[in-house]
Amino acid sequence: DADMIGLSGLITPSLDEMTHVAREMERQGFSIPLLIGGATTSRAHTAIKIAPHYKHPVVHVLDASRAVPVTTSLLSADGKAAFVAQHDEDYAALRRMHAGPKHTLVSLEEARTARVSLPFTPATVAKPKKTGVTVLDDVSVATLRPYIDWPPFFHTWEHKGVDPRIFENAAYGDQAKKLFDEANELLDALEKSKLLTSKAVYGIFPANAVGDDVELYTDETRAKVLTTFRFLRQQTAREPGKPHTALSDFVAPKGMANDYLGAFAVTSALGLDAEVKRLKAAHDDYAAILLEAVADRLAEALAEYVHECARKDWGFGEGEGLSKADLLEEKYRGIRPAAGYPACPDHTEKGPLWELLGVEERIGMKLTESFAMWPTSSVSGLYFAHPEAEYFGTGK
């Protein structure tokens, strides 16, 4: 006897499951509204991929704060008809737009001929002081605090701004300051209690590009391939002279120079699940949300700290002298793209990374069958060291 059903999706496979649920609701003769939300969803995806399978309202809800007005409209005897009519018109417009002209694509062969051309010289290819795997078994909260980036923490409560200016905001400055103070009190407590354990594993390996792929080798002889990362190349038609980029372009092609690639996986949430369950059982949802938000910030701080360690191991990171602001603005040499993000959207590339670093065996981080990381407050990715390496999107 539910009035409506809500689905929330955190990872990409959830999207297919949502379509399946919509089809089943239609097949079984449901008539109640279906709400769609979660990190991987969007209004366009809901209109194009899910709504056509169910003839009753299918509504994308951007975040929890929007759920109240949407549900109020759908349950209103007077307002429902007008809301649904406008909603259907808006979604039909999105489907028409989607059916319109698409970006022009070039063939993969043509895209490969227009790869990024970079110099691979002693000035741009740094030889690491050490290669192989490094494990950081228990990084303290005190070590990580200077690396915390606070704006995403405020976004958890839909407060946009940068500390300390956010505290002067007329609408929510006082609340942001209260959240900030409580988060720091929690960090003080975590420092003493060691309730959460932060662990990291990273490595730097001899590597070379082979086409769109990057091969990693067991040693400097480069005779035996340790693993291979496979990257996607931009294929959207570009203006003349504009390259079609793949991450492999930032690594020296085999036979040109002896290059290197780094990889990492970090988590600051070992012990988090048990404590969150305890807090929720005690009906202290706010403390649970605060702890999860702080754990996320610690994981990102750990990723920043470990990247700094890796740059020092690589040699070019010594004497950087970068401030916290410089780090957050990514003024260091190189990039650290993560699987699932625009430059390398394929989550399955986490598989070879896990094997390469022995992530689960060494620090207890796991991958689900759909390549989501557990614990959730975790980060993983690759290190590219070329001075001209930059982030980009592969596109559709």
Side-chain angles (χ1 to χ4, degrees), residues 226-262:
L226 184 59
T227 194
T228 302
F229 288 103
R230 308 186 187 281
F231 300 114
L232 298 172
R233 184 171 295 282
Q234 293 173 323
Q235 281 183 257
T236 305
R238 311 292 303 275
E239 295 173 19
K242 289 283 182 78
H244 293 267
T245 311
L247 284 170
S248 55
D249 295 347
F250 304 137
V251 179
K254 196 170 186 175
M256 180 180 287
N258 288 342
D259 211 343
Y260 302 85
L261 187 74

Side-chain angles (χ1 to χ4, degrees), residues 271-303:
L272 177 67
D273 280 3
E275 182 61 12
V276 166
K277 284 177 184 173
R278 187 190 70 78
L279 291 168
K280 288 185 174 178
H283 307 293
D284 195 347
D285 286 354
Y286 172 73
I289 293 169
L290 184 67
L291 180 59
E292 288 176 321
V294 166
D296 283 345
R297 292 300 86 218
L298 286 173
E300 294 291 349
L302 181 55

Side-chain angles (χ1 to χ4, degrees), residues 29-41:
F30 280 68
S31 60
I32 61 176
L34 176 61
L35 308 183
I36 303 292
T40 55
T41 64

Side-chain angles (χ1 to χ4, degrees), residues 29-214:
F30 280 68
S31 60
I32 61 176
L34 176 61
L35 308 183
I36 303 292
T40 55
T41 64
S42 69
R43 192 162 169 263
H45 184 274
T46 303
I48 295 158
K49 298 290 187 181
I50 304 174
H53 298 288
Y54 184 55
K55 65 186 176 190
H56 297 283
V58 181
V59 184
H60 180 255
V61 183
L62 185 63
D63 57 53
S65 68
R66 313 290 172 87
V68 173
V70 170
T71 52
T72 301
S73 298
L74 288 169
L75 295 174
S76 167
D78 300 327
K80 180 179 177 180
F83 176 86
V84 171
Q86 183 62 53
H87 167 267
D88 289 347
E89 187 180 316
D90 292 345
Y91 277 25
L94 285 170
R95 287 190 285 270
R96 285 195 299 273
M97 194 183 304
H98 177 73
K102 303 290 191 299
H103 288 296
T104 304
L105 300 180
V106 301
S107 70
L108 184 55
E109 291 71 24
E110 185 179 341
R112 283 171 172 163
T113 63
R115 62 184 291 130
V116 176
S117 179
L118 294 176
F120 293 98
T121 64
T124 61
V125 178
K127 184 171 182 179
K129 295 192 301 177
K130 59 180 281 193
T131 56
V133 177
T134 300
V135 176
L136 303 178
D137 219 16
D138 188 2
V139 185
S140 70
V141 172
T143 299
L144 298 179
R145 285 179 87 155
Y147 296 86
I148 292 177
D149 184 17
W150 285 105
F153 170 80
F154 298 123
H155 291 180
T156 304
W157 279 270
E158 297 181 20
H159 298 336
K160 293 184 179 178
V162 179
D163 56 298
R165 290 197 306 274
I166 190 173
F167 305 139
E168 299 165 12
N169 185 287
Y172 48 73
D174 290 345
Q175 190 178 2
K177 183 67 168 68
K178 182 172 181 288
L179 287 165
F180 181 73
D181 290 343
E182 289 179 354
N184 276 283
E185 286 171 12
L186 178 56
L187 286 168
D188 291 339
L190 291 174
E191 211 169 298
K192 292 173 184 172
S193 69
K194 301 192 182 299
L195 181 70
L196 303 183
T197 304
S198 296
K199 293 189 175 188
V201 58
Y202 70 95
I204 304 169
F205 305 88
N208 281 113
V210 179
D212 293 345
D213 304 337
V214 175

